[in-house]
Amino acid sequence: MKLSKLANLIRSKNAGPFSLTFDVMFPNEENYLRVKKSGVLNASMFAKLYKCAPDKVRFFECDNARAFKFSIPRIIFQGDLGDADLHGGQQFVPLTEIEIP
């Protein structure tokens, strides 16, 4: 099943001009635990998906919020020449297609 079918919110946004942060939140404990137990969402997967060094990915499992959070450095700084997503709000899209067993 695709992550977008299990989560009720998948978003990205700026965490300052040099970083992006991603949130994946779930409507219930069942969906959250399914994704957590699968181990699919992790720093290595995220680094591969967003083409950055694994040691640059900050990954958090937030059990009390039923959420995962990732932060990475922006490839192009906010507002720099070539920045097509000034607020970082469109960077989440590849996460929606991740398959969860």
Side-chain angles (χ1 to χ4, degrees):
M1 182 176 288
K2 292 191 186 303
L3 183 60
S4 61
K5 297 293 184 188
L6 295 167
N8 63 335
L9 178 67
I10 303 174
R11 69 180 176 194
S12 59
K13 58 186 176 178
N14 284 335
F18 308 110
S19 299
L20 291 170
T21 191
F22 299 79
D23 301 306
V24 181
M25 300 175 181
F26 298 87
N28 56 53
E29 193 80 9
E30 179 184 351
N31 289 8
Y32 172 71
L33 290 176
R34 177 177 174 177
V35 175
K36 183 176 179 176
K37 288 176 183 174
S38 77
V40 171
L41 293 186
N42 59 59
S44 296
M45 177 281 310
F46 203 81
K48 184 176 179 180
L49 187 63
Y50 285 93
K51 298 174 179 56
C52 66
D55 64 326
K56 299 292 184 186
V57 176
R58 298 191 63 200
F59 170 68
F60 305 93
E61 294 177 347
C62 306
D63 292 339
N64 60 339
R66 295 189 311 260
F68 296 91
K69 185 175 196 79
F70 298 87
S71 294
I72 59 171
R74 285 184 67 122
I75 296 170
I76 299 174
F77 300 152
Q78 181 185 19
D80 204 2
L81 188 61
D83 181 13
D85 186 6
L86 193 62
H87 298 288
Q90 302 303 312
Q91 303 305 310
F92 71 93
V93 174
L95 291 172
T96 64
E97 296 299 310
I98 292 174
E99 285 290 335
I100 305 297

